[in-house]
Amino acid sequence: MLASTTYSKGDMMYRKILIIACLIEVSFLIFLQYRYNHILDVFSFIGALVFFMVLSYFLKFQLSKKRKEVILFLQALFLIFVPIYVISTLPQYTYESAVDKFTQKLEEPYVVNKQKNTLIQNELNEIKKGYMFTVEQNSKVNSYAFDPWTGNYYEVQD
């Protein structure tokens, strides 16, 4: 007889809901990574959510009721914590809005070329990721680093 037959339909439904919620949150985090040009540090959260999905699957095997309840509670707590934390730490600017902010003062024509992200140092000497782009205007090319949390930008000298 399989150990999974000892669990009620309610337990199985709760496990399925947690797995679906984890999948939704992983998709949300991947979307945010794309939207913010991969400057967010969410890979640890994605790893933890995948771990919880695997753990939820294996909860159908024999565990004491108390351990199962503790694990399910921790999963639910983590599922609540992750989006609140990530949303509260999002930068003010996406890559596109950063370029728009910078190019508002420029006269046409100009070309903006996307570059790899860069590390920037803010006023508090914290080092974090920032956007990098080059602007070509009147055959002159300048590179800029943009701090997506403050909206400040800096010309990068070659």
Side-chain angles (χ1 to χ4, degrees):
M1 183 176 210
L2 293 175
S4 63
T5 59
T6 61
Y7 290 99
S8 70
K9 288 186 183 211
D11 290 339
M12 290 174 57
M13 180 61 103
Y14 189 66
R15 266 194 355 260
K16 287 179 183 178
I17 289 172
L18 282 175
I19 290 172
I20 291 169
C22 285
L23 283 171
I24 290 170
E25 285 195 18
V26 166
S27 300
F28 173 69
L29 292 175
I30 291 170
F31 168 76
L32 286 178
Q33 273 293 76
Y34 174 75
R35 180 113 169 99
Y36 286 90
N37 203 39
H38 306 284
I39 65 166
L40 304 176
D41 295 321
V42 295
F43 288 112
S44 57
F45 293 129
I46 291 172
L49 288 166
V50 169
F51 170 75
F52 278 134
M53 283 189 285
V54 171
L55 188 62
S56 290
Y57 175 76
F58 287 109
L59 279 179
K60 68 182 181 182
F61 298 109
Q62 195 72 29
L63 279 179
S64 70
K65 185 172 176 76
K66 178 120 174 120
R67 283 186 181 172
K68 184 177 78 168
E69 288 173 354
V70 168
I71 290 171
L72 292 176
F73 174 75
L74 290 175
Q75 281 180 289
L77 195 61
F78 194 74
L79 284 168
I80 294 168
F81 167 77
V82 168
I84 291 171
Y85 175 78
V86 170
I87 289 172
S88 69
T89 60
L90 281 179
Q92 184 178 355
Y93 296 91
T94 64
Y95 188 87
E96 290 77 21
S97 63
V99 169
D100 288 344
K101 178 183 179 184
F102 180 80
T103 57
Q104 282 177 353
K105 65 180 176 72
L106 296 179
E107 293 180 22
E108 297 282 340
Y110 59 84
V111 176
V112 176
N113 296 311
K114 192 174 194 177
Q115 303 291 315
K116 289 186 176 184
N117 291 329
T118 186
L119 294 176
I120 56 175
Q121 189 171 359
N122 66 9
E123 299 80 25
L124 302 173
N125 290 327
E126 298 171 327
I127 296 178
K128 55 188 171 183
K129 292 180 184 175
Y131 305 134
M132 184 91 168
F133 52 88
T134 58
V135 177
E136 185 177 341
Q137 185 177 30
N138 300 328
S139 68
K140 184 179 177 188
V141 178
N142 294 326
S143 296
Y144 297 93
F146 189 94
D147 183 342
W149 283 271
T150 64
N152 297 328
Y153 57 89
Y154 318 93
E155 186 171 356
V156 177
Q157 302 297 324
D158 293 329

